[in-house]
Amino acid sequence: MTALVVYESMYGSTKAIAEAIGEGLAPVGPVRVLEISALAAAPGGRTISPQIDLLVVGAPTHAFGLSRPNTRQDAAADAPEGKVISDGKGLREWLAEISLPLGGTRFAAFDTKVVRPALPGSAAKGAHKALVRMGGRPVVDPRSFGVHGKNGGLVDGELQAAGEWGSALARLVGAGVK
């Protein structure tokens, strides 16, 4: 099984979750974990290869959904030294530009989301809907991982949960979930 994990991250929590998911997927085949700006700028970064058995996408939840240029600017303004990890294109824009192979690609979507106060909305649900519209085939429902406040870090146990989720995805895709 070949997997591609694509993430957008502001302060590092979503990046850490993406890396843990990649580690969970790794025992069953090659996995690439890539930050969205780097992938979007790379040659072929707008086409998902038919050799990808599983596409996993993730982003922080901003203003009840996927980030926009203005919410990323707000995040950068709140960041130490004004620097965030994903300072270019976001997952929303990348999803609007990519193409999936004929027959679709199996995928899973995740996000990081503030646990208190509990707010509605989910970047993962937005990404999930976009990929379904393109003909993608979901393997599981969207998944959220909790963070403490805007830049408060991950809730205890979420990195382990992300690795376990990656392992579960590998088993599902390896078992031929359609």
Side-chain angles (χ1 to χ4, degrees), residues 35-170:
E35 190 273 327
I36 190 68
S37 299
L39 179 62
R46 293 186 180 131
T47 303
I48 302 302
S49 166
Q51 280 72 44
I52 299 295
D53 298 304
L54 178 65
L55 171 65
V56 180
V57 297
T61 298
H62 281 207
F64 313 114
L66 288 163
S67 73
R68 292 178 168 80
N70 63 321
T71 64
R72 290 192 295 275
Q73 287 175 347
D74 291 346
D78 290 342
E81 299 176 24
K83 185 75 176 136
V84 294
I85 293 168
S86 297
D87 60 0
K89 190 174 291 192
L91 188 62
R92 174 189 299 269
E93 292 84 9
W94 182 75
L95 287 170
E97 295 175 350
I98 68 167
S99 61
L100 298 179
L102 205 56
T105 298
R106 290 180 289 184
F107 76 88
F110 73 94
D111 63 24
T112 51
K113 187 173 173 177
V114 173
V115 293
R116 282 196 181 89
L119 298 172
S122 165
K125 287 180 182 177
H128 182 97
K129 287 178 186 176
L131 286 163
V132 166
R133 279 192 302 270
M134 285 184 254
R137 300 175 308 179
V139 175
V140 294
D141 289 334
R143 171 72 199 270
S144 291
F145 295 93
V147 295
H148 297 289
K150 279 186 176 181
N151 191 9
L154 288 164
V155 169
D156 289 345
E158 293 294 62
L159 277 181
Q160 180 179 345
E164 292 168 358
W165 192 64
S167 295
L169 291 173

